[in-house]
Amino acid sequence: MGHNSLWQVGLTYLDCCPNEGLATIELLLPRIPFNSELKAQKLVREAKNRDLHYIAQSICKVQGMRSLNRGRLGNALTWALRAQDGPFTSYLADKFLKEYIETGKINSTDLLDNLGSCMLSSDRLIFLVKNVKQG
């Protein structure tokens, strides 16, 4: 599990261990380091495949914070929505609104235009999306 490219093989092996395989996966999966979006997506997929939704949510939150720290608001919003984290989504919507007030422009309008029912996770996000579509 510690090897950078063989961790998925370790998961497959642990899936075959009937007594303690899933419990071991629950302990090890959150500890696998991820420095790329692709690896984070793989970890989320593996967690969801095993119904470990809280681990998937945690990974999404971490990746969302990393994106926010890099100034990638649209990407951070995507990860917050994947995590189903209402407060973080509202916080990011506030950031978008603040940016709009300061510059008169909103980045990531294509993302905001195509949120669909995901926008219902935050009242501020609904406000933001409705105003983007009107403007």
Side-chain angles (χ1 to χ4, degrees):
M1 292 291 292
H3 193 276
N4 193 31
S5 62
L6 296 177
W7 61 272
Q8 289 172 303
V9 175
L11 290 178
T12 303
Y13 171 78
L14 289 169
D15 284 335
C16 296
C17 300
N19 293 334
E20 297 180 16
L22 185 59
T24 305
I25 290 172
E26 283 184 84
L27 293 173
L28 294 176
L29 196 60
R31 291 182 173 90
I32 296 174
F34 57 96
N35 294 323
S36 70
E37 296 236 351
L38 181 62
K39 191 160 184 185
Q41 290 171 356
K42 286 180 181 181
L43 288 168
V44 168
R45 184 185 65 236
E46 295 295 341
K48 286 184 176 181
N49 285 344
R50 291 164 178 82
D51 292 325
L52 302 173
H53 297 286
Y54 67 96
I55 293 173
Q57 185 179 33
S58 174
I59 293 166
C60 290
K61 287 180 183 183
V62 168
Q63 195 62 31
M65 285 304 297
R66 286 179 181 173
S67 294
L68 178 62
N69 290 336
R70 292 179 183 135
R72 301 177 64 202
L73 279 179
N75 200 36
L77 181 60
T78 301
W79 284 104
L81 291 169
R82 282 185 191 166
Q84 299 174 341
D85 186 345
F88 188 38
T89 302
S90 293
Y91 175 77
L92 293 171
D94 285 342
K95 290 269 195 193
F96 274 103
L97 288 169
K98 182 179 178 186
E99 180 181 290
Y100 179 69
I101 290 168
E102 291 173 355
T103 66
K105 294 162 71 175
I106 287 190
N107 294 325
S108 305
T109 55
D110 56 334
L111 170 68
L112 296 175
D113 286 340
N114 295 302
L115 282 177
S117 64
C118 290
M119 79 171 101
L120 300 176
S121 62
S122 163
D123 57 344
R124 290 184 192 121
L125 188 57
I126 294 170
F127 176 80
L128 176 66
V129 170
K130 293 296 180 187
N131 286 311
V132 166
K133 288 184 178 181
Q134 289 176 358

PDB file of all heavy atoms in Angstrom, residues 51-65:
ATOM      1  N   ASP A  51     -18.165   1.805  -0.467  1.00  0.00           N
ATOM      2  CA  ASP A  51     -19.147   2.483   0.396  1.00  0.00           C
ATOM      3  C   ASP A  51     -18.496   3.183   1.584  1.00  0.00           C
ATOM      4  O   ASP A  51     -19.068   3.271   2.669  1.00  0.00           O
ATOM      5  CB  ASP A  51     -20.228   1.508   0.885  1.00  0.00           C
ATOM      6  CG  ASP A  51     -21.120   1.041  -0.248  1.00  0.00           C
ATOM      7  OD1 ASP A  51     -21.390   1.841  -1.168  1.00  0.00           O
ATOM      8  OD2 ASP A  51     -21.549  -0.133  -0.218  1.00  0.00           O
ATOM      9  N   LEU A  52     -17.299   3.692   1.382  1.00  0.00           N
ATOM     10  CA  LEU A  52     -16.599   4.471   2.405  1.00  0.00           C
ATOM     11  C   LEU A  52     -16.754   5.952   2.065  1.00  0.00           C
ATOM     12  O   LEU A  52     -15.793   6.651   1.776  1.00  0.00           O
ATOM     13  CB  LEU A  52     -15.122   4.049   2.460  1.00  0.00           C
ATOM     14  CG  LEU A  52     -14.864   2.574   2.751  1.00  0.00           C
ATOM     15  CD1 LEU A  52     -13.390   2.241   2.606  1.00  0.00           C
ATOM     16  CD2 LEU A  52     -15.376   2.209   4.132  1.00  0.00           C
ATOM     17  N   HIS A  53     -17.996   6.413   2.102  1.00  0.00           N
ATOM     18  CA  HIS A  53     -18.312   7.757   1.635  1.00  0.00           C
ATOM     19  C   HIS A  53     -17.670   8.844   2.494  1.00  0.00           C
ATOM     20  O   HIS A  53     -17.311   9.904   1.982  1.00  0.00           O
ATOM     21  CB  HIS A  53     -19.827   7.940   1.547  1.00  0.00           C
ATOM     22  CG  HIS A  53     -20.457   7.022   0.553  1.00  0.00           C
ATOM     23  ND1 HIS A  53     -20.338   7.209  -0.804  1.00  0.00           N
ATOM     24  CD2 HIS A  53     -21.177   5.895   0.717  1.00  0.00           C
ATOM     25  CE1 HIS A  53     -20.968   6.247  -1.442  1.00  0.00           C
ATOM     26  NE2 HIS A  53     -21.488   5.423  -0.542  1.00  0.00           N
ATOM     27  N   TYR A  54     -17.506   8.603   3.771  1.00  0.00           N
ATOM     28  CA  TYR A  54     -16.883   9.608   4.628  1.00  0.00           C
ATOM     29  C   TYR A  54     -15.411   9.809   4.269  1.00  0.00           C
ATOM     30  O   TYR A  54     -14.877  10.908   4.392  1.00  0.00           O
ATOM     31  CB  TYR A  54     -17.058   9.264   6.112  1.00  0.00           C
ATOM     32  CG  TYR A  54     -16.316   8.024   6.544  1.00  0.00           C
ATOM     33  CD1 TYR A  54     -15.062   8.128   7.123  1.00  0.00           C
ATOM     34  CD2 TYR A  54     -16.865   6.762   6.363  1.00  0.00           C
ATOM     35  CE1 TYR A  54     -14.370   6.994   7.515  1.00  0.00           C
ATOM     36  CE2 TYR A  54     -16.179   5.625   6.754  1.00  0.00           C
ATOM     37  CZ  TYR A  54     -14.938   5.746   7.325  1.00  0.00           C
ATOM     38  OH  TYR A  54     -14.242   4.622   7.703  1.00  0.00           O
ATOM     39  N   ILE A  55     -14.750   8.758   3.801  1.00  0.00           N
ATOM     40  CA  ILE A  55     -13.358   8.894   3.359  1.00  0.00           C
ATOM     41  C   ILE A  55     -13.311   9.674   2.050  1.00  0.00           C
ATOM     42  O   ILE A  55     -12.483  10.567   1.881  1.00  0.00           O
ATOM     43  CB  ILE A  55     -12.685   7.516   3.220  1.00  0.00           C
ATOM     44  CG1 ILE A  55     -12.544   6.864   4.601  1.00  0.00           C
ATOM     45  CG2 ILE A  55     -11.323   7.633   2.544  1.00  0.00           C
ATOM     46  CD1 ILE A  55     -12.037   5.436   4.570  1.00  0.00           C
ATOM     47  N   ALA A  56     -14.224   9.364   1.137  1.00  0.00           N
ATOM     48  CA  ALA A  56     -14.300  10.100  -0.127  1.00  0.00           C
ATOM     49  C   ALA A  56     -14.568  11.579   0.145  1.00  0.00           C
ATOM     50  O   ALA A  56     -13.946  12.460  -0.463  1.00  0.00           O
ATOM     51  CB  ALA A  56     -15.392   9.519  -1.014  1.00  0.00           C
ATOM     52  N   GLN A  57     -15.454  11.858   1.071  1.00  0.00           N
ATOM     53  CA  GLN A  57     -15.783  13.235   1.420  1.00  0.00           C
ATOM     54  C   GLN A  57     -14.562  13.961   1.995  1.00  0.00           C
ATOM     55  O   GLN A  57     -14.292  15.112   1.648  1.00  0.00           O
ATOM     56  CB  GLN A  57     -16.930  13.245   2.430  1.00  0.00           C
ATOM     57  CG  GLN A  57     -17.446  14.615   2.776  1.00  0.00           C
ATOM     58  CD  GLN A  57     -18.596  14.557   3.760  1.00  0.00           C
ATOM     59  OE1 GLN A  57     -18.657  13.680   4.631  1.00  0.00           O
ATOM     60  NE2 GLN A  57     -19.518  15.486   3.627  1.00  0.00           N
ATOM     61  N   SER A  58     -13.824  13.295   2.838  1.00  0.00           N
ATOM     62  CA  SER A  58     -12.631  13.885   3.431  1.00  0.00           C
ATOM     63  C   SER A  58     -11.584  14.219   2.371  1.00  0.00           C
ATOM     64  O   SER A  58     -10.978  15.303   2.391  1.00  0.00           O
ATOM     65  CB  SER A  58     -12.051  12.924   4.470  1.00  0.00           C
ATOM     66  OG  SER A  58     -10.838  13.393   4.959  1.00  0.00           O
ATOM     67  N   ILE A  59     -11.374  13.310   1.434  1.00  0.00           N
ATOM     68  CA  ILE A  59     -10.411  13.547   0.358  1.00  0.00           C
ATOM     69  C   ILE A  59     -10.851  14.736  -0.491  1.00  0.00           C
ATOM     70  O   ILE A  59     -10.037  15.588  -0.852  1.00  0.00           O
ATOM     71  CB  ILE A  59     -10.238  12.277  -0.501  1.00  0.00           C
ATOM     72  CG1 ILE A  59      -9.575  11.167   0.327  1.00  0.00           C
ATOM     73  CG2 ILE A  59      -9.434  12.564  -1.760  1.00  0.00           C
ATOM     74  CD1 ILE A  59      -9.661   9.794  -0.297  1.00  0.00           C
ATOM     75  N   CYS A  60     -12.139  14.810  -0.772  1.00  0.00           N
ATOM     76  CA  CYS A  60     -12.668  15.937  -1.560  1.00  0.00           C
ATOM     77  C   CYS A  60     -12.467  17.270  -0.840  1.00  0.00           C
ATOM     78  O   CYS A  60     -12.121  18.279  -1.463  1.00  0.00           O
ATOM     79  CB  CYS A  60     -14.153  15.733  -1.856  1.00  0.00           C
ATOM     80  SG  CYS A  60     -14.502  14.411  -3.033  1.00  0.00           S
ATOM     81  N   LYS A  61     -12.680  17.279   0.464  1.00  0.00           N
ATOM     82  CA  LYS A  61     -12.484  18.506   1.234  1.00  0.00           C
ATOM     83  C   LYS A  61     -11.025  18.954   1.200  1.00  0.00           C
ATOM     84  O   LYS A  61     -10.733  20.140   1.034  1.00  0.00           O
ATOM     85  CB  LYS A  61     -12.931  18.310   2.683  1.00  0.00           C
ATOM     86  CG  LYS A  61     -14.422  18.255   2.853  1.00  0.00           C
ATOM     87  CD  LYS A  61     -14.770  18.053   4.317  1.00  0.00           C
ATOM     88  CE  LYS A  61     -16.250  17.913   4.534  1.00  0.00           C
ATOM     89  NZ  LYS A  61     -16.602  17.780   5.948  1.00  0.00           N
ATOM     90  N   VAL A  62     -10.111  18.014   1.372  1.00  0.00           N
ATOM     91  CA  VAL A  62      -8.684  18.339   1.331  1.00  0.00           C
ATOM     92  C   VAL A  62      -8.315  18.906  -0.034  1.00  0.00           C
ATOM     93  O   VAL A  62      -7.640  19.937  -0.137  1.00  0.00           O
ATOM     94  CB  VAL A  62      -7.822  17.100   1.668  1.00  0.00           C
ATOM     95  CG1 VAL A  62      -6.365  17.341   1.341  1.00  0.00           C
ATOM     96  CG2 VAL A  62      -7.993  16.707   3.124  1.00  0.00           C
ATOM     97  N   GLN A  63      -8.775  18.251  -1.088  1.00  0.00           N
ATOM     98  CA  GLN A  63      -8.452  18.718  -2.437  1.00  0.00           C
ATOM     99  C   GLN A  63      -9.089  20.078  -2.709  1.00  0.00           C
ATOM    100  O   GLN A  63      -8.500  20.928  -3.380  1.00  0.00           O
ATOM    101  CB  GLN A  63      -8.902  17.684  -3.479  1.00  0.00           C
ATOM    102  CG  GLN A  63      -8.312  17.895  -4.837  1.00  0.00           C
ATOM    103  CD  GLN A  63      -6.795  17.774  -4.863  1.00  0.00           C
ATOM    104  OE1 GLN A  63      -6.193  17.031  -4.097  1.00  0.00           O
ATOM    105  NE2 GLN A  63      -6.173  18.502  -5.738  1.00  0.00           N
ATOM    106  N   GLY A  64     -10.282  20.302  -2.185  1.00  0.00           N
ATOM    107  CA  GLY A  64     -10.925  21.612  -2.323  1.00  0.00           C
ATOM    108  C   GLY A  64     -10.132  22.721  -1.651  1.00  0.00           C
ATOM    109  O   GLY A  64      -9.962  23.809  -2.203  1.00  0.00           O
ATOM    110  N   MET A  65      -9.620  22.434  -0.463  1.00  0.00           N
ATOM    111  CA  MET A  65      -8.803  23.434   0.240  1.00  0.00           C
ATOM    112  C   MET A  65      -7.495  23.689  -0.500  1.00  0.00           C
ATOM    113  O   MET A  65      -7.036  24.837  -0.575  1.00  0.00           O
ATOM    114  CB  MET A  65      -8.517  22.974   1.677  1.00  0.00           C
ATOM    115  CG  MET A  65      -9.705  23.101   2.606  1.00  0.00           C
ATOM    116  SD  MET A  65     -10.383  24.775   2.687  1.00  0.00           S
ATOM    117  CE  MET A  65      -9.011  25.672   3.357  1.00  0.00           C
TER     118      MET A  65
END
